[in-house]
């Protein structure tokens, strides 16, 4: 029994030690900087779709088709480029770190705009309240 278990274990070890061939660099590899742009836009549109699925469904929006058309790439080129970059952990991490940084920067910009818009609305409300109080005071004085 021990020999059978040992033989099975040895067979599993040899099977696990197979060589893995690396993917060749595609002829039409999407450059890293363009790939980052594509991934950022995909993330934004995917988040938008998740936020309002109904609007995307009504308009029959195909996110990937939009992105591929914008960047003049096709799905096969994107898939091959993604696979190529995914094989090198450091390159893949660099790509996604860049995407994360861009998304965080864009979020900070949007948050700043929202804050500015809210403060402008608040200032207008305060001005309206002051004007209303002045008008009320004038009416009461007459």
């Amino acid at each position: 029994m021990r020999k059978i278990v040992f033989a099975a274990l040895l067979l599993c070890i040899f099977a696990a030690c197979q060589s893995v061939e690396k993917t060749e660099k595609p002829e039409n590899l999407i450059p890293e900087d363009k790939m980052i742009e594509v991934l950022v836009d995909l993330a934004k549109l995917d988040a938008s779709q998740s936020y309002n699925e109904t609007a995307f469904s009504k308009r029959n929006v195909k996110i990937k088709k939009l992105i591929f058309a914008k960047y003049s790439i096709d799905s096969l080129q994107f898939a091959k480029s993604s696979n190529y970059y995914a094989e090198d952990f450091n390159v893949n991490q660099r790509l996604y770190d860049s995407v994360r940084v861009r998304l965080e920067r864009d979020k900070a910009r949007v948050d700043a705009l929202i804050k500015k818009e809210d403060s402008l609305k608040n200032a207008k409300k305060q001005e309206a309240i002051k004007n209303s109080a002045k008008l009320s005071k004038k009416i009461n004085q007459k």
Side-chain angles (χ1 to χ4, degrees), residues 98-114:
S98 296
V99 169
R100 181 184 46 78
V101 167
R102 286 277 309 280
L103 290 172
E104 288 172 352
R105 185 183 70 212
D106 290 352
K107 183 185 181 307
R109 285 181 188 160
V110 170
D111 288 347
L113 288 172
I114 290 170

Side-chain angles (χ1 to χ4, degrees), residues 30-47:
I30 300 170
E32 283 187 40
D33 57 338
K34 187 175 183 179
M35 190 69 165
I36 291 167
E37 297 291 328
V38 170
L39 292 171
V40 166
D41 281 353
L42 278 171
K44 287 178 182 178
L45 281 172
D46 188 48

Side-chain angles (χ1 to χ4, degrees), residues 28-87:
N28 57 354
L29 179 70
I30 300 170
E32 283 187 40
D33 57 338
K34 187 175 183 179
M35 190 69 165
I36 291 167
E37 297 291 328
V38 170
L39 292 171
V40 166
D41 281 353
L42 278 171
K44 287 178 182 178
L45 281 172
D46 188 48
S48 297
Q49 184 178 21
S50 295
Y51 180 74
N52 195 348
E53 183 72 38
T54 307
F56 277 79
S57 295
K58 283 181 182 177
R59 293 183 179 98
N60 197 24
V61 176
K62 304 294 183 211
I63 292 174
K64 287 189 177 180
K65 279 188 174 183
L66 286 173
I67 298 298
F68 295 161
K70 177 180 178 181
Y71 291 101
S72 301
I73 59 176
D74 59 45
S75 59
L76 183 60
Q77 181 183 11
F78 178 74
K80 285 183 176 182
S81 296
S82 294
N83 289 340
Y84 178 76
Y85 288 130
E87 281 192 4

